[in-house]
Amino acid sequence: MRTWIVAGNWKMNNTIAEAVALAKAIKDGTATLKRGEVILAPPFTSLQSVSQTINDSRVALAAQNMHQEEKGAFTGEVSPVMLKDCGCTHVIIGHSERRKYFHEKDADVNLKVKKALACGLKPIMCVGETEEEREKNVTRAVVGRQVKEGLRGVEKINNVVIAYEPVWAIGTGKVATSAQAQEVHSFIRVILKDLFGDGAASNTRILYGGSVTKDNIGELIAMEDIDGALVGGASLKADGFLGIIKNIAEKK
Ligand code: PGA
């Protein structure tokens, strides 16, 4: 039985004071949850303060990116060791905005996933096709390649979370239909089965991301292979984010 996850990716939003207030509201709003995992991914500058705020709660902390080395002359970068030091248990890797604006390739994603695991962080590895790729009917080829290349050389998948985020659905209000999402999620699970075997594949959490709100999550989460959500815009307001969590907790 897979436990659901709702992760909030705050992207480049919130000062420390705003981050702490939002984290406190999420902590309070999830205090009575019995199951499931809630993860917040604030910007680097708020990690430590949010970590202190969610201390002693069921809310976990993720970074939005990391460098693949533990330390060294990499001006402007942050290492997995530093993230752990701030209280992170998870790290988002290969988000489409990293791929698009910062030119991260599958090979970079792979190095980061392996390093995160080696340092005891759980990667949330993002994959997803662009609108053009979907129109050209190469969604499976693209997502399949991203999953295989991103996980190349990974021996055990039990600490990896996958997020399927169609690029055309991110921040656009154009959510994938539950059927479109389920189709890709089950395809990803087949690939995981080939790579890691039946048991590991059926235990891996695969989250959907892209314009998720409390109003559309119900249909998505009813799908067999959708184990939760990676939420951007709607994670910036406590009400919206808690609404998503509530809808998932009722259904899974
Ligand atoms: P969105 O972002 O929910 O604002 O579409 C999702 C994401 O980028 O993780």
Side-chain angles (χ1 to χ4, degrees):
M1 185 61 186
R2 299 184 294 268
T3 326
W4 56 262
I5 297 177
V6 180
N9 174 11
W10 294 355
K11 308 193 180 183
M12 198 172 71
N13 293 291
N14 291 332
T15 61
I16 295 175
E18 288 163 348
V20 165
L22 181 54
K24 168 111 184 28
I26 304 302
K27 173 182 168 171
D28 293 346
T30 53
T32 56
L33 268 184
K34 300 266 178 309
R35 290 174 301 111
E37 290 180 42
V38 176
I39 304 172
L40 300 180
F44 291 132
T45 47
S46 302
L47 284 175
Q48 199 185 1
S49 311
V50 169
S51 172
Q52 285 161 356
T53 308
I54 61 180
N55 190 24
D56 266 341
S57 78
R58 58 181 310 118
V59 182
L61 189 67
Q64 299 172 16
N65 180 34
M66 56 170 249
H67 192 268
Q68 62 269 20
E69 299 293 335
E70 287 178 30
K71 61 178 177 178
F74 300 100
T75 301
E77 292 293 320
V78 176
S79 87
V81 175
M82 295 166 181
L83 298 181
K84 281 203 73 176
D85 199 31
C86 283
C88 290
T89 49
H90 295 73
V91 55
I92 299 172
I93 291 180
H95 188 279
S96 69
E97 286 150 17
R98 301 292 320 167
R99 294 178 190 256
K100 181 174 169 196
Y101 301 124
F102 305 98
H103 315 293
E104 283 190 16
K105 303 277 178 276
D106 292 331
D108 304 311
V109 172
N110 180 241
L111 288 175
K112 293 183 182 197
V113 166
K114 285 191 292 199
K115 191 53 146 192
L117 289 169
C119 291
L121 284 169
K122 297 178 182 170
I124 302 173
M125 186 181 87
C126 302
V127 297
E129 81 288 0
T130 62
E131 182 151 46
E132 196 187 348
E133 288 162 343
R134 177 160 281 268
E135 274 162 13
K136 280 194 195 144
N137 248 330
V138 292
T139 297
R140 283 179 176 235
V142 170
V143 172
R145 187 203 73 225
Q146 290 173 334
V147 172
K148 283 188 202 141
E149 294 299 316
L151 297 176
R152 185 181 286 276
V154 169
E155 279 165 21
K156 278 193 6 223
I157 202 193
N158 49 328
N159 282 330
V160 178
V161 176
I162 310 264
Y164 168 58
E165 300 204 304
V167 179
W168 47 271
I170 296 179
T172 57
K174 239 201 260 179
V175 64
T177 65
S178 50
Q180 280 172 326
Q182 165 60 24
E183 203 243 301
V184 180
H185 281 232
S186 75
F187 169 68
I188 292 172
R189 215 175 288 287
V190 170
I191 295 177
L192 296 179
K193 201 161 148 184
D194 281 354
L195 295 174
F196 300 98
D198 238 344
S202 53
N203 285 331
T204 303
R205 269 81 58 84
I206 308 177
L207 315 182
Y208 169 80
S211 295
V212 169
T213 64
K214 65 177 168 23
D215 301 319
N216 61 30
I217 190 62
E219 263 189 58
L220 290 158
I221 204 64
M223 298 290 116
E224 192 186 334
D225 289 297
I226 300 183
D227 305 310
L230 178 54
V231 187
S235 71
L236 292 173
K237 292 261 182 311
D239 273 6
F241 192 60
L242 290 169
I244 293 169
I245 293 169
K246 183 168 171 277
N247 282 345
I248 293 186
E250 276 168 6
K251 294 214 164 70
K252 283 266 167 175

